[in-house]
Amino acid sequence: MAKVEPFEKFTLDYENWFERNDKLYLSELKLLKDLIKEEHYKNSVEVGVGSGRFAQPLGVKYGVDPSMAMLKIALQRGIKVVKGIAEELPLKSSLFEFVLTVTTICFVDDIAKTFKEIERILKPKGFLVVGFVDRSSFLGQLYEKKKPYSKFYKPATFYSTEEVIQIAHKYTSLKLERVKQTIFGIENKIYPAKEGWGEGAFVGLLFRKPL
């Protein structure tokens, strides 16, 4: 539960980050929206929904998270929520056409098991979008240095884009279809979303589950 504790204790600080960095947040939202298939909004869930900061504006209807403090806010934002961890999702198999998970993989205890569980709850031909800070990026390196002093990132494990792709391919049948990146500096401004990875701090991966 150590990785959940900061989100229980510092919920207001978490929310304030999005207010202070509103344009960076909008840059991330735009990238994710570019990757999401609009027809899947009605049958979707976010794993690690937090306070609903991504699920609500992206039209994701359901959310799972281990933090009750965060779930209460997500509920207020109109998300149908359930308490649970990513490695043991309290959801039926082959239930959703679309799964979203944003800045969550760095906080799970077992990333391979998380991918397996997401694959389980996806319908055949369903989509997964993973958003995260690339450890190899300038921001990822900065977060690594600040980890010992950070309220939120002290227990985090950051991954490079290559590592996330390799883990997904090793432990699941999910196929990578598209990669986009954004946030190319520390200034709070709206950044464009570009194809590929290696430059931007925030990366979005689109996977598809085969038949």
Side-chain angles (χ1 to χ4, degrees), residues 145-162:
K145 290 178 182 178
K146 288 185 173 182
K147 268 178 64 171
Y149 319 103
S150 171
K151 292 175 183 175
F152 294 104
Y153 288 120
K154 189 173 184 178
T157 302
F158 294 104
Y159 298 93
S160 69
T161 299
E162 291 87 349

Side-chain angles (χ1 to χ4, degrees), residues 75-95:
L75 191 63
Q76 292 170 359
R77 289 193 165 116
I79 310 299
K80 297 175 182 178
V81 301
V82 60
K83 189 174 186 292
I85 62 171
E87 297 90 341
E88 296 177 19
L89 293 169
L91 301 167
K92 293 180 181 178
S93 299
S94 303
L95 187 61

Side-chain angles (χ1 to χ4, degrees), residues 47-58:
V47 174
V49 69
S51 64
R53 279 281 181 173
F54 290 96
Q56 194 259 349
L58 292 172

